[in-house]
Amino acid sequence: MTRVLVLGGSWFLGRSVVDEALARGWAVTTFRRGVSGDDAPGAEAVRGDRTNADDLARLAEAGPWDAVVDTSGFVPRETLAVARALEPVVDRYVFISSVSAYEGWPIEPLTEDSAVLECPSDAGPDFGYDGDPGPSVYGFTKAGCERAVIETFGLERVAVLRPGVILGPREYVGRLPWWLRRVQRGGRVLAPGSPDRAIQPVDVRDVADFALHTATGQAGVFNVTASGNESMVDLLTACREVTDSSAECEWITDESWLIAQEVAQWTELPLWRTYAGAWDVDSTNARAAGLVTRPIRETVSDTWEWLNSAGAGVVHERAAEQGINTQTRIRE
């Protein structure tokens, strides 16, 4: 039986990885503080903080595992400590990074050969700088985390996944939930940009499935995005259908007008970005290695079902800290 360790495991992607692994019949261990969220039934939970050396040593004693899937690595020096503690007891390290680790995102189209931001493997949480629209501290530190894992395990024992936007049930950032609630209210809905603009959000369950695929399959670095065969109008049409709304989209194709109104891209209108590379991330290599992505309507429908369930009322601590769950600044 395949044994997998999930760092995190109670929220969004981490919980999806756990659920998918359990559905495969794998033996699952989660390592989390237990401060928020809940444990998945059927998984063995180890309590601890990834910043605490004693907790990491105790975690390693619970091994070995065939693979670890790290969904909660954001600080390079902390990820380095985790990797070093687990290297003797783990065969494969799957690290969930981000397209933000690229120098060129969101300005230019990206492949796995595109340049990555420079960040040392022992950097702290504030390394780098925030540009507009260029690099971010988040991107620098994700790149540093990648380096920490690869330096410790070697690329032949590592799978680095660089997703773009992840949507689906349990999303706490508030992108798709915002659009669903806005469309549900009805009336005229401000829709930014061209309705035919291709978008590449990937379902959280598809990222989870591919993470587990690489846990026992092909190592390497993979962009993880949808195919780009669907558009913003497909997304908003799905929102209208699943909410049974009479809303009508008013497309603002003159995006310079939105910019002149000082509407911030990405945050004040979720998923709206004018830069050429925002939705031009090549995931050919991931698809060849087993990535399969579902239609956007299925993601929208299942997210709406989750929003109307009891679990949707729980607020993730990162959303509360960063103020990213409410999107209160968005104007129409």
Side-chain angles (χ1 to χ4, degrees):
M1 178 185 294
T2 301
R3 299 190 68 203
V4 63
L5 168 65
V6 181
L7 304 183
S10 62
W11 287 99
F12 199 37
L13 178 56
R15 182 55 181 267
S16 291
V17 172
V18 171
D19 289 346
E20 175 61 27
L22 290 170
R24 295 183 181 201
W26 292 11
V28 180
T29 302
T30 60
F31 179 66
R32 49 184 294 268
R33 293 174 301 166
V35 174
S36 61
D38 56 1
D39 295 317
E44 176 188 0
V46 176
R47 292 283 182 263
D49 191 322
R50 62 184 295 148
T51 67
N52 185 295
D54 291 337
D55 288 351
L56 292 178
R58 181 168 49 82
L59 172 64
E61 292 175 355
W65 295 277
D66 297 293
V68 55
V69 180
D70 188 352
T71 67
S72 58
F74 299 97
V75 179
R77 66 186 178 209
E78 294 173 3
T79 301
L80 183 63
V82 170
R84 287 174 173 173
L86 294 179
E87 191 276 331
V89 295
V90 169
D91 291 336
R92 171 70 55 84
Y93 201 118
V94 180
F95 181 73
I96 308 300
S97 185
S98 168
V99 293
S100 295
Y102 287 112
E103 284 185 6
W105 195 84
I107 303 301
E108 59 191 41
L110 298 171
T111 72
E112 289 88 352
D113 293 327
S114 300
V116 173
L117 293 166
E118 286 292 330
C119 179
S121 59
D122 59 353
D126 300 321
F127 186 90
Y129 59 91
D130 289 323
D132 184 16
S136 64
V137 169
Y138 171 75
F140 277 103
T141 54
K142 274 295 191 181
C145 290
E146 293 182 10
R147 176 172 289 185
V149 172
I150 293 171
E151 284 180 357
T152 305
F153 275 75
L155 188 56
E156 69 281 358
R157 295 173 60 199
V158 170
V160 172
L161 276 55
R162 294 177 182 149
V165 173
I166 305 176
L167 303 178
R170 295 193 181 95
E171 184 208 332
Y172 55 79
V173 177
R175 292 173 174 135
L176 181 52
W178 187 89
W179 279 114
L180 280 162
R181 290 181 176 122
R182 174 60 194 93
V183 171
Q184 181 199 27
R185 292 202 307 269
R188 296 165 64 199
V189 176
L190 187 156
S194 168
D196 296 326
R197 173 177 284 153
I199 58 175
Q200 294 180 291
V202 62
D203 191 288
V204 63
R205 294 161 295 183
D206 297 333
V207 180
D209 178 78
F210 185 62
L212 295 178
H213 193 79
T214 60
T216 58
Q218 184 176 340
V221 178
F222 302 97
N223 294 333
V224 184
T225 60
S227 63
N229 292 330
E230 296 182 291
S231 62
M232 196 67 183
V233 71
D234 294 323
L235 173 71
L236 295 186
T237 298
C239 288
R240 188 174 62 219
E241 291 174 353
V242 303
T243 60
D244 195 25
S245 172
S246 59
E248 295 184 4
C249 290
E250 183 168 337
W251 292 93
I252 308 299
T253 56
D254 181 5
E255 295 171 298
S256 63
W257 181 85
L258 290 172
I259 294 171
Q261 307 311 306
E262 299 182 349
V263 178
Q265 299 187 40
W266 211 240
T267 56
E268 293 192 331
L269 278 175
L271 307 180
W272 171 57
R273 212 155 202 179
T274 59
Y275 308 110
W279 299 115
D280 196 351
V281 180
D282 186 358
S283 290
T284 302
N285 290 340
R287 293 182 184 282
L291 172 66
V292 177
T293 55
R294 69 195 68 202
I296 191 68
R297 194 189 189 287
E298 184 176 339
T299 302
V300 171
S301 178
D302 291 349
T303 302
W304 181 242
E305 181 179 350
W306 168 75
L307 281 172
N308 287 284
S309 69
V314 180
V315 178
H316 188 282
E317 60 185 87
R318 287 182 59 217
E321 290 171 359
Q322 300 176 26
I324 54 179
N325 197 48
T326 58
Q327 300 290 353
T328 53
R329 295 174 296 160
I330 299 175
R331 300 161 292 188
E332 295 192 69

